[in-house]
């Protein structure tokens, strides 16, 4: 299990580098100015000092978080972290001093006379800065974990609201077939079993390829009830099949189309799904059924819109009322990796 207290991202280190170099440069320029030395020399000294300290910090602290602290009792963490933070400042200061020792740049007399004492003082300051960074990173990581847990909880809650509605329709199909055609009833049971198994998977995102397979299975199931009146057309490039989509997102739009578009009709019904990608993944679902009469979403589509927003920063829009056309746009595309 990962320890969120030890996770420092690349962006964190970039911020530390920028802040450290800027802070040390400003202090050095100010100190050189007060001592009557060249401000330019002070700026160069400050940039090198901040760079070396941050470099040593990144090497020592990243190694410590990965290879040492996870294997130590927590009571030792503060002491080990203090040592490596101090060492980063100490070695960073000495590296700066020796880099400029044989250079024409002016250095503060204290560094020339007492380099190790000054390195020790800056090492202590580095430890204090490291302690502040640790508190910041820990608080930030804890907040992000809480946010992730909330989103996952919310998504699962929305999924449980969708599943009973689908299961109700599927069981109705099965009930009609049991006495009419036992073979088709058996096939329906297998289809329902497949859907229930997919529903119980933990991940809220599945590949577009798997989602389209779910849609085909769903339409096959519904065609048992509607005597093959539903014609499904899917157009999707092979390169898009690994893109991730929220589970049962396209299937829900098809279910909604059948429920409202075929209401009271036994005429042939066509469904078309077009998948394309530019900067975002776009999924267009159209049907030949009755026009959409209201721009307001019901419970099912409202839940789908929430899931799209939570999982992919996605959107659901009505692009045509007659014929009915919905558009899913996923603004944060991901690929499902092979396991």
């Amino acid at each position: 299990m990962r320890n969120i207290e030890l996770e420092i991202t690349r962006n964190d280190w970039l911020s530390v580098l920028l802040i450290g170099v800027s802070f040390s440069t400003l202090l050095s320029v100010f100190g050189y100015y007060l001592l009557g030395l060249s401000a330019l020399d002070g700026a160069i000294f400050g940039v090198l000092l901040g760079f070396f300290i941050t470099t040593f910090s990144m090497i020592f602290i990243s190694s410590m978080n990965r290879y040492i602290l996870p294997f130590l009792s927590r009571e030792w963490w503060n002491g080990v972290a203090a040592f490596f933070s101090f060492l980063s400042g100490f070695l960073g200061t000495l590296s700066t001093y020796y880099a400029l020792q044989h250079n024409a740049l002016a250095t503060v007399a204290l560094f020339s006379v007492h380099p190790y004492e000054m390195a020790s003082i800056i090492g202590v300051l580095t430890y204090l800065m490291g302690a502040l960074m640790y508190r910041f990173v820990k608080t930030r990581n804890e907040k992000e974990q809480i946010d992730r847990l909330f989103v996952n909880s919310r998504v699962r809650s929305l999924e449980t609201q969708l599943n009973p509605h689908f299961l109700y329709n599927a069981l109705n199909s099965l009930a009609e077939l049991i006495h009419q055609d036992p073979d088709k009833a058996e096939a329906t049971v297998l289809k329902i079993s497949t859907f229930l198994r997919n529903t119980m998977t933990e991940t809220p995102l599945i590949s577009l390829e798997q989602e389209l397979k779910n849609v085909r299975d769903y339409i096959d199931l519904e065609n048992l009830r509607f005597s093959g009146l539903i014609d499904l057309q899917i157009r999707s490039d092979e390169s898009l099949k690994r893109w991730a989509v929220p589970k049962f997102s396209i299937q829900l739009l098809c279910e909604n189309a059948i429920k409202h578009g075929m209401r009271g009709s036994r005429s042939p019904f066509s469904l078309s799904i077009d998948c394309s990608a530019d900067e975002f993944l776009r999924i267009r679902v159209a049907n030949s059924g009755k026009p959409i009469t209201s721009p307001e979403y019901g419970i099912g589509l409202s839940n789908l819109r929430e899931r799209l927003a939570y999982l992919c920063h996605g959107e659901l829009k009505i692009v045509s009322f007659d014929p009915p056309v919905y558009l899913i746009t996923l603004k944060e595309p991901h690929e499902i990796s092979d396991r």
Side-chain angles (χ1 to χ4, degrees), residues 4 32 78 114 154 234 290 329:
I4 61 174
Y32 271 59
N78 288 336
H114 304 290
R154 180 59 179 152
I234 297 178
K290 297 180 178 180
T329 303

Side-chain angles (χ1 to χ4, degrees), residues 85 129 254 296 311:
S85 296
M129 292 295 293
C254 294
E296 299 297 324
L311 295 170

Side-chain angles (χ1 to χ4, degrees), residues 208-209 212 234-243 273-277 281:
L208 178 61
E209 180 182 34
L212 292 177
I234 297 178
R235 288 175 284 275
S236 178
D237 193 272
E238 183 72 13
S239 63
L240 304 180
K241 69 179 185 178
R242 303 304 298 169
W243 285 44
I273 301 170
D274 292 276
C275 305
S276 61
L281 177 64

Side-chain angles (χ1 to χ4, degrees), residues 121-139:
I121 293 173
I122 293 180
V124 173
L125 295 176
T126 303
Y127 160 68
L128 295 176
M129 292 295 293
L132 290 175
M133 178 184 173
Y134 165 77
R135 294 294 179 188
F136 166 76
V137 170
K138 179 183 177 183
T139 302

Side-chain angles (χ1 to χ4, degrees), residues 201-237:
T201 57
E202 291 295 325
T203 176
L205 292 171
I206 61 176
S207 68
L208 178 61
E209 180 182 34
Q210 181 61 48
E211 175 65 11
L212 292 177
K213 181 181 183 302
N214 289 341
V215 170
R216 292 187 184 95
D217 288 342
Y218 171 75
I219 296 302
D220 287 345
L221 180 63
E222 288 293 72
N223 264 329
L224 294 173
R225 182 159 63 112
F226 289 105
S227 303
L229 291 175
I230 305 171
D231 175 49
L232 175 66
Q233 299 292 328
I234 297 178
R235 288 175 284 275
S236 178
D237 193 272

Side-chain angles (χ1 to χ4, degrees), residues 131-148:
L132 290 175
M133 178 184 173
Y134 165 77
R135 294 294 179 188
F136 166 76
V137 170
K138 179 183 177 183
T139 302
R140 192 275 314 277
N141 289 347
E142 287 177 343
K143 181 181 181 301
E144 289 182 352
Q145 185 182 48
I146 291 172
D147 289 343
R148 282 194 295 269

Side-chain angles (χ1 to χ4, degrees), residues 223 226-231 261-270 288-290:
N223 264 329
F226 289 105
S227 303
L229 291 175
I230 305 171
D231 175 49
M262 292 187 71
R263 186 172 53 229
S265 172
R266 301 299 296 182
S267 302
F269 183 79
S270 65
S288 62
K290 297 180 178 180

